[in-house]
Amino acid sequence: PKTGLPTYQFVPSVTWIAEHYPKGIGFYKWLANTGWDEAQSLKEAAGDRGSKVHQAITDLLDGHPVSWTRLILTLPPVLLSR
């Protein structure tokens, strides 16, 4: 019966898929060569960078200006040195 209410379909997020998808031997070799602490640092920095991209997209969609300089200057040093 029609209720007039919207219907929703579950769609897993990219994060959920990435957590459950097999990583493969290449990832584990990289992890062994990089080391746990450095890998964690890189993961957190990439997460911060991704959050900034998402915020910039939201700002653009809301009609707010986005400063590329502000985004670059707030990146963690580990990413700026690569």
Side-chain angles (χ1 to χ4, degrees):
K2 293 194 175 198
T3 63
L5 298 173
T7 59
Y8 297 97
Q9 178 182 0
F10 171 75
V11 179
S13 70
V14 170
T15 303
W16 186 91
I17 292 170
E19 287 175 359
H20 293 84
Y21 194 81
K23 293 184 177 37
I25 190 70
F27 169 77
Y28 294 106
K29 285 182 178 180
W30 173 83
L31 183 59
N33 290 332
T34 303
W36 180 261
D37 292 337
E38 178 68 9
Q40 287 296 103
S41 177
L42 290 169
K43 180 185 80 166
E44 290 171 13
D48 290 343
R49 187 176 68 234
S51 294
K52 289 174 185 173
V53 169
H54 281 264
Q55 185 60 54
I57 291 168
T58 299
D59 288 347
L60 287 172
L61 292 173
D62 290 342
H64 302 296
V66 174
S67 167
W68 178 252
T69 304
R70 180 178 56 87
L71 292 174
I72 292 298
L73 292 177
T74 58
L75 285 175
V78 68
L79 292 179
L80 294 175
S81 65
R82 294 189 180 268

